Coordinates of all heavy atoms in Angstrom, one line a residue:
M1 N 104.6 113.1 104.4 CA 103.7 114.1 104.0 C 103.1 113.6 102.7 O 103.7 113.2 101.7 CB 104.5 115.4 103.7 CG 103.8 116.5 103.1 SD 104.7 118.0 103.2 CE 105.0 118.3 101.5
S2 N 101.8 113.7 102.6 CA 101.1 113.3 101.4 C 101.0 114.5 100.4 O 100.8 115.6 100.8 CB 99.7 112.8 101.7 OG 98.9 113.9 102.2
H3 N 101.1 114.1 99.2 CA 101.1 115.1 98.1 C 99.6 115.3 97.7 O 98.9 114.4 97.6 CB 101.9 114.7 96.9 CG 103.4 114.8 97.2 ND1 104.0 115.4 98.3 CD2 104.4 114.3 96.5 CE1 105.3 115.3 98.2 NE2 105.6 114.6 97.2
D4 N 99.3 116.5 97.3 CA 98.0 116.8 96.8 C 97.8 116.1 95.4 O 98.7 116.2 94.6 CB 97.8 118.3 96.6 CG 96.4 118.8 96.3 OD1 95.9 118.4 95.3 OD2 95.9 119.5 97.1
K5 N 96.7 115.5 95.2 CA 96.5 114.8 94.0 C 96.5 115.7 92.7 O 96.8 115.2 91.6 CB 95.1 114.1 94.0 CG 95.1 112.9 95.0 CD 93.7 112.3 95.0 CE 93.7 111.2 96.1 NZ 92.4 110.6 96.3
R6 N 96.3 117.0 92.9 CA 96.3 117.9 91.8 C 97.7 118.1 91.3 O 97.9 118.5 90.1 CB 95.8 119.3 92.3 CG 94.3 119.2 92.6 CD 93.8 120.5 93.2 NE 94.2 120.7 94.5 CZ 93.9 121.7 95.3 NH1 93.0 122.6 94.9 NH2 94.3 121.7 96.6
L7 N 98.7 117.7 92.1 CA 100.1 117.8 91.6 C 100.4 116.8 90.5 O 101.4 117.0 89.7 CB 101.1 117.6 92.7 CG 101.2 118.8 93.7 CD1 102.1 118.4 94.9 CD2 101.7 120.0 93.0
K8 N 99.6 115.7 90.4 CA 99.9 114.8 89.3 C 99.8 115.4 87.9 O 100.4 115.0 87.0 CB 98.9 113.6 89.4 CG 99.2 112.7 90.6 CD 98.3 111.5 90.6 CE 98.7 110.6 91.8 NZ 98.1 109.3 91.7
I9 N 99.0 116.5 87.8 CA 98.8 117.2 86.5 C 100.2 117.7 86.1 O 100.5 117.7 84.9 CB 97.8 118.3 86.7 CG1 96.4 117.8 87.0 CG2 97.8 119.2 85.5 CD1 95.4 118.8 87.5
A10 N 101.0 118.3 87.0 CA 102.3 118.8 86.7 C 103.2 117.7 86.1 O 104.0 118.0 85.2 CB 102.9 119.5 87.9
G11 N 103.0 116.5 86.6 CA 103.8 115.4 86.0 C 103.5 115.1 84.6 O 104.3 114.4 83.9
Q12 N 102.5 115.6 84.0 CA 102.1 115.4 82.7 C 102.5 116.5 81.7 O 102.1 116.5 80.6 CB 100.6 115.1 82.6 CG 100.1 113.9 83.4 CD 100.8 112.6 82.9 OE1 100.9 112.4 81.7 NE2 101.3 111.9 83.9
M13 N 103.2 117.5 82.3 CA 103.6 118.7 81.4 C 104.5 118.2 80.3 O 105.5 117.5 80.6 CB 104.2 119.8 82.3 CG 104.6 121.0 81.5 SD 105.3 122.3 82.6 CE 107.0 121.6 82.7
P14 N 104.2 118.7 79.1 CA 105.1 118.3 78.0 C 106.4 119.2 78.0 O 106.5 120.1 78.8 CB 104.3 118.7 76.7 CG 103.4 119.8 77.2 CD 103.1 119.5 78.7
P15 N 107.4 118.8 77.2 CA 108.6 119.6 77.2 C 108.3 121.1 76.8 O 107.7 121.3 75.7 CB 109.5 118.9 76.2 CG 108.9 117.6 76.0 CD 107.5 117.7 76.3
L16 N 108.7 122.0 77.6 CA 108.4 123.4 77.4 C 109.7 124.3 77.7 O 110.4 123.9 78.6 CB 107.2 123.9 78.2 CG 105.9 123.2 77.9 CD1 104.9 123.6 79.0 CD2 105.4 123.5 76.5
R17 N 109.8 125.4 77.1 CA 110.9 126.4 77.4 C 110.4 127.5 78.3 O 109.3 128.0 78.1 CB 111.5 126.9 76.2 CG 112.3 125.8 75.4 CD 113.2 126.5 74.3 NE 114.1 125.6 73.8 CZ 113.8 124.8 72.8 NH1 112.7 124.9 72.2 NH2 114.7 123.9 72.3
R18 N 111.2 128.0 79.1 CA 110.9 129.2 79.9 C 111.5 130.4 79.1 O 111.0 131.5 79.2 CB 111.5 129.1 81.3 CG 110.9 127.9 82.0 CD 110.7 128.1 83.5 NE 109.9 129.3 83.8 CZ 110.1 130.0 84.9 NH1 111.0 129.7 85.8 NH2 109.3 131.0 85.1
I19 N 112.7 130.2 78.5 CA 113.4 131.3 77.8 C 113.8 130.7 76.4 O 114.5 129.7 76.4 CB 114.6 131.8 78.5 CG1 114.3 132.3 79.9 CG2 115.3 132.9 77.7 CD1 115.5 132.6 80.8
P20 N 113.2 131.2 75.3 CA 113.7 130.7 74.0 C 115.2 131.0 73.9 O 115.7 132.0 74.4 CB 112.9 131.6 73.0 CG 111.7 132.1 73.8 CD 112.2 132.2 75.2
F21 N 115.9 130.1 73.2 CA 117.3 130.2 73.0 C 117.7 131.6 72.5 O 117.1 132.1 71.5 CB 117.8 129.1 72.0 CG 117.7 127.7 72.6 CD1 117.0 126.8 71.9 CD2 118.3 127.4 73.8 CE1 116.9 125.5 72.4 CE2 118.3 126.1 74.3 CZ 117.6 125.1 73.6
G22 N 118.7 132.2 73.1 CA 119.2 133.5 72.7 C 118.4 134.7 73.0 O 118.7 135.8 72.5
E23 N 117.3 134.5 73.7 CA 116.4 135.6 74.1 C 116.5 136.0 75.5 O 116.9 135.2 76.4 CB 115.0 135.3 73.7 CG 114.8 135.2 72.2 CD 113.3 135.1 71.8 OE1 112.4 135.5 72.5 OE2 113.0 134.5 70.7
V24 N 116.0 137.2 75.8 CA 115.9 137.7 77.2 C 114.6 137.1 77.8 O 113.6 137.1 77.0 CB 116.0 139.2 77.3 CG1 115.8 139.7 78.7 CG2 117.3 139.7 76.7
Y25 N 114.6 136.8 79.1 CA 113.3 136.3 79.6 C 112.2 137.3 79.5 O 112.3 138.5 79.8 CB 113.5 135.9 81.1 CG 112.3 135.4 81.7 CD1 111.9 134.1 81.4 CD2 111.5 136.1 82.6 CE1 110.7 133.6 82.0 CE2 110.3 135.6 83.1 CZ 109.9 134.4 82.8 OH 108.8 133.9 83.3
D26 N 111.1 136.7 79.1 CA 109.8 137.5 79.0 C 108.7 136.6 79.5 O 108.4 135.6 78.8 CB 109.6 137.9 77.5 CG 108.3 138.7 77.3 OD1 107.5 138.8 78.2 OD2 108.2 139.2 76.2
A27 N 108.1 136.9 80.6 CA 107.1 136.1 81.2 C 105.9 135.8 80.2 O 105.3 134.7 80.3 CB 106.5 136.7 82.5
S28 N 105.6 136.8 79.3 CA 104.5 136.6 78.4 C 104.8 135.5 77.3 O 104.0 135.0 76.7 CB 104.1 137.9 77.7 OG 105.2 138.3 76.8
K29 N 106.1 135.1 77.2 CA 106.5 134.1 76.3 C 107.0 132.8 77.0 O 107.4 131.9 76.3 CB 107.7 134.6 75.4 CG 107.3 135.7 74.5 CD 108.5 136.2 73.7 CE 108.1 137.4 72.8 NZ 109.3 137.8 72.1
D30 N 106.9 132.8 78.3 CA 107.3 131.6 79.1 C 106.3 130.5 78.8 O 105.2 130.5 79.3 CB 107.3 132.0 80.6 CG 107.9 130.9 81.5 OD1 107.6 129.8 81.2 OD2 108.5 131.3 82.5
E31 N 106.7 129.4 78.1 CA 105.8 128.3 77.8 C 105.3 127.6 79.0 O 104.2 127.1 79.0 CB 106.6 127.4 76.8 CG 106.9 128.0 75.5 CD 107.7 127.0 74.6 OE1 108.2 126.0 75.1 OE2 107.8 127.3 73.4
V32 N 106.2 127.5 80.0 CA 105.8 126.8 81.3 C 104.6 127.6 81.9 O 103.6 127.0 82.3 CB 107.0 126.6 82.2 CG1 106.5 126.1 83.6 CG2 108.0 125.7 81.6
L33 N 104.8 128.9 82.1 CA 103.7 129.7 82.7 C 102.5 129.7 81.8 O 101.3 129.6 82.4 CB 104.2 131.1 82.9 CG 105.3 131.4 83.9 CD1 105.7 132.8 84.0 CD2 105.0 130.8 85.3
L34 N 102.6 129.7 80.5 CA 101.4 129.7 79.7 C 100.7 128.3 79.8 O 99.5 128.3 79.9 CB 101.8 129.9 78.2 CG 102.3 131.3 77.9 CD1 102.9 131.4 76.5 CD2 101.3 132.4 78.1
W35 N 101.4 127.2 79.9 CA 100.8 125.9 80.2 C 100.1 125.9 81.5 O 99.0 125.4 81.6 CB 101.9 124.8 80.0 CG 101.3 123.4 80.2 CD1 100.8 122.7 79.2 CD2 101.3 122.7 81.4 NE1 100.4 121.5 79.7 CE2 100.7 121.4 81.0 CE3 101.7 122.9 82.7 CZ2 100.4 120.4 82.0 CZ3 101.4 121.9 83.6 CH2 100.8 120.7 83.3
L36 N 100.8 126.4 82.5 CA 100.2 126.4 83.9 C 98.9 127.2 83.9 O 98.0 126.8 84.6 CB 101.2 126.9 84.9 CG 102.4 126.1 85.2 CD1 103.4 126.8 86.1 CD2 102.0 124.8 86.0
K37 N 98.9 128.3 83.2 CA 97.7 129.1 83.1 C 96.5 128.3 82.6 O 95.3 128.6 83.0 CB 98.0 130.3 82.2 CG 96.9 131.3 82.2 CD 97.4 132.5 81.4 CE 96.5 132.8 80.3 NZ 96.8 134.0 79.5
E38 N 96.7 127.3 81.8 CA 95.7 126.5 81.3 C 95.3 125.3 82.1 O 94.5 124.5 81.7 CB 96.1 126.0 79.9 CG 96.3 127.1 78.9 CD 95.1 128.0 78.6 OE1 94.0 127.5 78.6 OE2 95.3 129.3 78.5
Q39 N 95.9 125.2 83.3 CA 95.6 124.1 84.2 C 94.9 124.6 85.5 O 95.5 124.9 86.5 CB 96.9 123.4 84.6 CG 97.9 123.1 83.5 CD 97.2 122.3 82.4 OE1 96.5 121.3 82.7 NE2 97.4 122.7 81.2
P40 N 93.6 124.7 85.5 CA 92.8 125.3 86.6 C 93.0 124.6 87.9 O 93.1 125.3 89.0 CB 91.4 125.3 86.1 CG 91.3 124.4 85.0 CD 92.7 124.3 84.4
E41 N 93.2 123.3 87.9 CA 93.4 122.6 89.1 C 94.7 123.0 89.8 O 94.8 123.1 91.0 CB 93.5 121.1 88.9 CG 92.1 120.5 88.3 CD 92.0 120.6 86.8 OE1 92.9 121.1 86.2 OE2 91.1 120.0 86.3
L42 N 95.8 123.2 89.0 CA 97.1 123.7 89.6 C 96.9 125.1 90.1 O 97.5 125.4 91.2 CB 98.2 123.5 88.6 CG 98.7 122.1 88.3 CD1 99.7 122.1 87.2 CD2 99.2 121.4 89.6
L43 N 96.2 125.9 89.4 CA 96.1 127.3 89.8 C 95.3 127.4 91.1 O 95.6 128.1 92.0 CB 95.4 128.2 88.7 CG 96.2 128.3 87.5 CD1 95.4 129.1 86.4 CD2 97.5 129.0 87.7
N44 N 94.2 126.5 91.2 CA 93.5 126.5 92.5 C 94.3 125.9 93.6 O 94.2 126.4 94.8 CB 92.2 125.6 92.3 CG 91.1 126.3 91.6 OD1 91.0 127.5 91.7 ND2 90.4 125.6 90.8
L45 N 95.2 125.0 93.3 CA 96.1 124.4 94.4 C 97.0 125.6 94.9 O 97.2 125.7 96.1 CB 96.9 123.3 93.8 CG 98.1 122.8 94.7 CD1 97.5 122.2 96.0 CD2 98.9 121.8 93.9
F46 N 97.5 126.3 94.0 CA 98.4 127.4 94.3 C 97.7 128.4 95.2 O 98.2 128.9 96.3 CB 99.0 128.1 93.1 CG 100.0 129.1 93.4 CD1 101.2 128.9 94.1 CD2 99.9 130.4 92.9 CE1 102.1 129.8 94.4 CE2 100.8 131.4 93.1 CZ 101.9 131.1 93.9
A47 N 96.5 128.8 94.8 CA 95.7 129.8 95.6 C 95.4 129.2 96.9 O 95.4 129.9 97.9 CB 94.4 130.2 94.8
D48 N 95.0 127.9 97.0 CA 94.7 127.3 98.3 C 95.9 127.3 99.2 O 95.8 127.5 100.4 CB 94.3 125.8 98.1 CG 92.9 125.7 97.4 OD1 92.2 126.7 97.4 OD2 92.6 124.6 97.0
K49 N 97.1 127.0 98.6 CA 98.3 127.0 99.5 C 98.6 128.4 100.0 O 99.0 128.6 101.1 CB 99.5 126.5 98.7 CG 99.4 125.0 98.4 CD 99.4 124.2 99.7 CE 99.3 122.7 99.4 NZ 99.3 122.0 100.7
L50 N 98.5 129.4 99.1 CA 98.7 130.8 99.5 C 97.8 131.2 100.7 O 98.2 131.9 101.6 CB 98.6 131.8 98.4 CG 99.6 131.7 97.3 CD1 99.3 132.6 96.1 CD2 101.0 132.1 97.8
R51 N 96.5 130.8 100.6 CA 95.6 131.1 101.6 C 96.0 130.3 102.9 O 96.0 130.9 104.0 CB 94.2 130.6 101.2 CG 93.1 130.9 102.3 CD 91.8 130.2 102.0 NE 91.9 128.8 101.5 CZ 92.2 127.8 102.4 NH1 92.3 128.0 103.7 NH2 92.2 126.6 101.9
S52 N 96.3 129.0 102.8 CA 96.6 128.3 104.0 C 97.9 128.7 104.7 O 98.1 128.6 105.9 CB 96.7 126.8 103.7 OG 97.8 126.4 102.9
W53 N 98.8 129.3 103.9 CA 100.1 129.8 104.5 C 99.9 131.2 105.0 O 100.8 131.8 105.6 CB 101.2 129.8 103.4 CG 101.6 128.5 102.9 CD1 101.6 127.3 103.6 CD2 102.1 128.2 101.6 NE1 102.1 126.3 102.8 CE2 102.4 126.8 101.6 CE3 102.4 129.0 100.5 CZ2 102.9 126.2 100.4 CZ3 102.9 128.3 99.4 CH2 103.2 127.0 99.3
G54 N 98.7 131.8 104.9 CA 98.4 133.1 105.4 C 98.9 134.2 104.5 O 99.0 135.4 104.9
C55 N 99.3 133.9 103.3 CA 99.8 135.0 102.3 C 98.7 135.8 101.8 O 98.9 137.0 101.4 CB 100.6 134.3 101.2 SG 102.0 133.4 101.7
I56 N 97.5 135.2 101.6 CA 96.4 136.0 101.1 C 95.2 135.7 102.0 O 95.1 134.7 102.6 CB 96.0 135.6 99.6 CG1 95.7 134.1 99.5 CG2 97.2 136.0 98.7 CD1 95.2 133.7 98.1
T57 N 94.3 136.7 102.0 CA 93.1 136.6 102.9 C 91.9 137.1 102.1 O 92.0 137.9 101.2 CB 93.3 137.4 104.2 OG1 93.4 138.8 103.8 CG2 94.4 137.0 105.0
F58 N 90.7 136.6 102.5 CA 89.5 137.0 101.9 C 88.8 138.0 102.7 O 88.6 137.8 103.9 CB 88.6 135.8 101.7 CG 87.3 136.0 100.9 CD1 87.4 136.3 99.6 CD2 86.1 136.0 101.6 CE1 86.2 136.6 98.9 CE2 84.9 136.3 100.9 CZ 85.0 136.6 99.6
D59 N 88.4 139.1 102.1 CA 87.6 140.2 102.8 C 86.1 140.0 102.5 O 85.7 140.2 101.4 CB 88.1 141.5 102.3 CG 87.4 142.7 103.0 OD1 86.3 142.5 103.6 OD2 87.9 143.8 102.9
K60 N 85.4 139.5 103.5 CA 84.0 139.2 103.2 C 83.2 140.4 102.9 O 82.2 140.4 102.1 CB 83.4 138.5 104.5 CG 83.9 137.1 104.7 CD 83.2 136.6 106.0 CE 83.8 135.2 106.3 NZ 83.3 134.6 107.5
K61 N 83.6 141.6 103.5 CA 82.8 142.8 103.2 C 82.9 143.2 101.8 O 81.9 143.6 101.2 CB 83.4 143.9 104.1 CG 82.7 145.2 104.0 CD 83.3 146.2 105.0 CE 82.6 147.6 104.8 NZ 83.2 148.6 105.6
S62 N 84.1 143.2 101.2 CA 84.3 143.6 99.8 C 84.2 142.4 98.8 O 84.1 142.6 97.6 CB 85.6 144.3 99.6 OG 86.7 143.4 99.8
G63 N 84.3 141.2 99.3 CA 84.2 140.0 98.4 C 85.5 139.9 97.6 O 85.5 139.3 96.5
T64 N 86.6 140.4 98.1 CA 87.9 140.3 97.4 C 89.0 139.6 98.2 O 88.9 139.6 99.4 CB 88.4 141.8 97.0 OG1 88.6 142.5 98.2 CG2 87.4 142.5 96.1
W65 N 90.0 139.1 97.4 CA 91.2 138.6 98.0 C 92.2 139.6 98.0 O 92.3 140.4 97.1 CB 91.6 137.3 97.2 CG 90.7 136.2 97.4 CD1 89.6 135.9 96.7 CD2 90.8 135.2 98.4 NE1 89.0 134.8 97.1 CE2 89.7 134.3 98.2 CE3 91.7 134.9 99.4 CZ2 89.5 133.1 98.9 CZ3 91.5 133.7 100.2 CH2 90.4 132.9 99.9
R66 N 93.1 139.6 99.0 CA 94.3 140.5 99.0 C 95.4 139.9 99.7 O 95.3 139.0 100.5 CB 93.9 141.9 99.7 CG 93.6 141.7 101.1 CD 93.2 143.1 101.7 NE 91.9 143.4 101.2 CZ 91.4 144.6 101.2 NH1 92.0 145.6 101.9 NH2 90.2 144.9 100.7
G67 N 96.6 140.5 99.5 CA 97.8 140.0 100.2 C 97.7 140.4 101.6 O 97.2 141.4 102.0
A68 N 98.2 139.5 102.5 CA 98.1 139.7 103.9 C 98.8 141.0 104.4 O 98.4 141.5 105.4 CB 98.7 138.5 104.6
D69 N 99.8 141.4 103.7 CA 100.5 142.6 104.1 C 100.0 143.9 103.3 O 100.6 144.9 103.5 CB 102.0 142.5 103.9 CG 102.5 141.3 104.7 OD1 102.0 141.1 105.8 OD2 103.5 140.7 104.3
Y70 N 99.0 143.7 102.5 CA 98.5 144.9 101.7 C 97.7 145.8 102.5 O 96.9 145.4 103.3 CB 97.6 144.4 100.5 CG 97.0 145.5 99.7 CD1 97.8 146.1 98.7 CD2 95.8 146.0 100.0 CE1 97.3 147.1 98.0 CE2 95.2 147.1 99.3 CZ 96.0 147.6 98.2 OH 95.5 148.7 97.5
H71 N 98.1 147.1 102.4 CA 97.4 148.2 103.1 C 97.1 149.3 102.2 O 98.0 149.7 101.5 CB 98.2 148.7 104.3 CG 98.7 147.7 105.3 ND1 97.8 147.1 106.2 CD2 99.9 147.0 105.4 CE1 98.5 146.2 106.9 NE2 99.7 146.1 106.4
D72 N 95.8 149.7 102.1 CA 95.5 150.8 101.2 C 95.5 152.1 101.8 O 95.8 152.4 102.9 CB 94.1 150.6 100.5 CG 93.1 149.8 101.2 OD1 93.2 149.5 102.4 OD2 92.1 149.5 100.6

C-alpha cells in the first residue's frame, strides 16, 4: 500500500503535548491538534479519506458536506 505524500508533513511535527502535565484534557489546549489545524494538506487528506470511506457526502443542491448518517 502506498502512502499519501501529504503524510510526510506529519513526520515533521515538532515535539508537542496533548495534555499539559497535571491538567485535565482540553482539546482547545491540545498542541497536536493546534499544530494539525495549521497544516492544510493534512486536513485535506483527512477530508478526502472521510469522503472516500463514505463517512461524509456532498449535497450538490445545498453545496454542503454532511455526515453520511445525518438526517434532519
Side-chain angles (χ1 to χ4, degrees):
M1 175 167 112
S2 65
H3 289 347
D4 190 299
K5 292 178 184 177
R6 294 174 286 185
L7 288 174
K8 289 186 178 193
I9 295 164
Q12 300 300 314
M13 185 179 77
L16 301 169
R17 289 194 170 89
R18 300 213 56 212
I19 303 171
F21 293 123
E23 293 188 24
V24 176
Y25 180 75
D26 178 350
S28 69
K29 294 180 183 178
D30 185 323
E31 294 175 350
V32 173
L33 293 181
L34 293 171
W35 182 85
L36 289 170
K37 185 174 124 176
E38 300 300 321
Q39 310 308 312
E41 296 88 353
L42 287 177
L43 295 176
N44 282 327
L45 171 62
F46 185 57
D48 290 348
K49 290 297 180 184
L50 290 174
R51 180 192 46 76
S52 72
W53 295 331
C55 298
I56 60 175
T57 59
F58 184 71
D59 181 344
K60 291 179 184 178
K61 183 178 176 184
S62 67
T64 60
W65 290 87
R66 67 180 68 197
D69 298 328
Y70 178 82
H71 303 286
D72 30 7

